[in-house]
Amino acid sequence: MLLIGEVSKISQVSLRMLRYYDKNNIFKPCIINETNGYRYYSADQLDELYRIVELRDLGFSIAEIRKLIREENKEKYLTAIGNKRIELEKEAEEIRHKLRRLSYLEDEVSVNSDDGMHKEITIVIKSIPDQDVISFRKTVFNYFCEGDMWEEFSQRLISSGVSFSNESFSLYHDTDYREKNVDIELCVVTDGNCGEIPKGLVHRQVIGCKNAVSILVKGPYENISYAYRRFAYWLENHSEYTMDSPTRQICHVSPVNTDNPEEYITEILIPLCNE
């Protein structure tokens, strides 16, 4: 038998945490001396303790750990691990996005706004035609979830055998910026002869508009923020117009086409109303 202090040194888990795991019915000693209250553990228990520590370090909650260490169904255990992997990948993408924004901020401070990457933004007015599309609309947690939406949308289209073109775009239906619960609709253009539409998708016509601002952004997606700031000046100087919705975003060159963010070409389309 091992004393709690010995287990702490061997496992590199503090006495406080060992007592905490005991109190929460996660990792209990196999024997407690009724006379002096000493806790004793067997060497066989250390494998379980290491697994608990590993789950904790990976971000599982106490309730999740308690459930997992008692889970005898291997498939359920693997599902929980897989779900945590997806969660961590999303967190990692958000961190990578923040790191890119930091780099962008450094460039913004060191490069004059009329030079460098900022000259790659073009603003013109154009008309948007009506388009026959298959769409997938969903309210998702935040804008980072759009990539997952496109993956799900593509899988549904491919598995169904529906005819569609390579032309696609996103519609953002919220009339203001949302930090969460974002209403996004993904669209792929068709020739109108789609056949049977998969469940969860819609075959419809997206109505165009006579006037829309087209903002062509070259380079990383972080440049889009600057593009909108440029548009604010444009809108202020064209007081005969106000913004309408939904806005569109077309990725002419995206991560699907290149691994180099500097080669991205993104078009933002903002419908306009005449005052």
Side-chain angles (χ1 to χ4, degrees):
M1 292 287 102
L2 301 172
L3 289 168
I4 188 172
E6 294 171 325
V7 171
S8 175
K9 291 178 181 179
I10 293 170
S11 65
Q12 298 182 330
V13 177
S14 69
L15 292 174
R16 181 185 65 84
M17 288 306 299
L18 287 171
R19 294 189 179 104
Y20 179 77
Y21 292 150
D22 183 5
K23 181 179 177 181
N24 285 274
N25 297 315
I26 291 176
F27 184 72
K28 302 185 75 65
C30 59
I31 296 175
I32 297 180
N33 189 305
E34 295 182 0
T35 303
N36 54 27
Y38 286 179
R39 294 171 168 85
Y40 294 94
Y41 300 82
S42 71
D44 290 339
Q45 289 182 274
L46 290 180
D47 285 343
E48 181 180 348
L49 180 57
Y50 289 138
R51 178 63 56 83
I52 290 169
V53 171
E54 191 171 23
L55 291 171
R56 181 200 65 191
D57 291 345
L58 289 171
F60 285 91
S61 68
I62 289 297
E64 290 172 327
I65 293 172
R66 185 187 298 113
K67 183 178 179 180
L68 282 175
I69 60 175
R70 289 167 173 74
E71 182 60 70
E72 296 181 358
N73 187 310
K74 183 179 179 180
E75 293 303 319
K76 289 183 178 179
Y77 192 99
L78 291 175
T79 297
I81 298 296
N83 289 338
K84 178 59 69 173
R85 177 186 295 277
I86 293 171
E87 179 185 325
L88 291 175
E89 286 174 347
K90 288 181 179 179
E91 290 179 7
E93 178 55 35
E94 291 189 12
I95 290 172
R96 285 192 292 269
H97 177 69
K98 288 179 181 179
L99 289 171
R100 291 194 297 267
R101 287 173 62 186
L102 282 173
S103 297
Y104 179 85
L105 187 59
E106 289 173 340
D107 291 339
E108 190 175 50
V109 171
S110 60
V111 179
N112 185 280
S113 61
D114 292 327
D115 299 323
M117 63 184 176
H118 296 161
K119 70 181 180 180
E120 298 298 328
I121 294 171
T122 305
I123 299 178
V124 298
I125 293 182
K126 65 191 290 186
S127 62
I128 304 176
D130 296 345
Q131 290 180 297
D132 195 274
V133 305
I134 299 174
S135 77
F136 176 42
R137 185 170 177 175
K138 195 174 184 181
T139 298
V140 294
F141 181 70
N142 59 26
Y143 293 96
F144 291 107
C145 298
E146 185 178 341
D148 293 335
M149 276 188 68
W150 275 112
E151 184 175 346
E152 181 180 352
F153 187 24
S154 300
Q155 289 175 352
R156 292 192 188 191
L157 287 172
I158 293 170
S159 62
S160 67
V162 171
S163 174
F164 60 94
S165 70
N166 290 324
E167 186 178 354
S168 61
F169 56 90
S170 305
L171 291 173
Y172 304 96
H173 290 280
D174 298 309
T175 56
D176 58 347
Y177 178 83
R178 302 293 174 90
E179 293 182 355
K180 60 181 181 179
N181 299 326
V182 183
D183 185 359
I184 301 177
E185 183 178 11
L186 310 181
C187 302
V188 294
V189 178
T190 75
D191 59 5
N193 300 312
C194 304
E196 186 176 353
I197 305 300
K199 184 178 179 180
L201 307 186
V202 175
H203 180 203
R204 75 181 190 91
Q205 187 174 66
V206 175
I207 305 301
C209 66
K210 183 178 179 180
N211 293 312
V213 160
S214 168
I215 310 174
L216 198 64
V217 184
K218 297 181 180 180
Y221 291 134
E222 286 71 28
N223 289 2
I224 291 176
S225 174
Y226 178 79
Y228 273 106
R229 298 196 326 254
R230 283 281 300 272
F231 169 66
Y233 287 106
W234 184 95
L235 193 62
E236 188 174 61
N237 292 325
H238 294 79
S239 57
E240 69 274 22
Y241 293 114
T242 57
M243 293 176 64
D244 200 359
S245 59
T247 59
R248 302 189 188 191
Q249 182 170 299
I250 305 171
C251 296
H252 296 289
V253 179
S254 70
V256 174
N257 312 107
T258 178
D259 293 329
N260 183 5
E262 297 299 328
E263 297 176 354
Y264 294 171
I265 300 177
T266 307
E267 184 177 9
I268 302 166
L269 291 169
I270 304 174
L272 299 171
C273 291
N274 285 94
E275 287 288 325

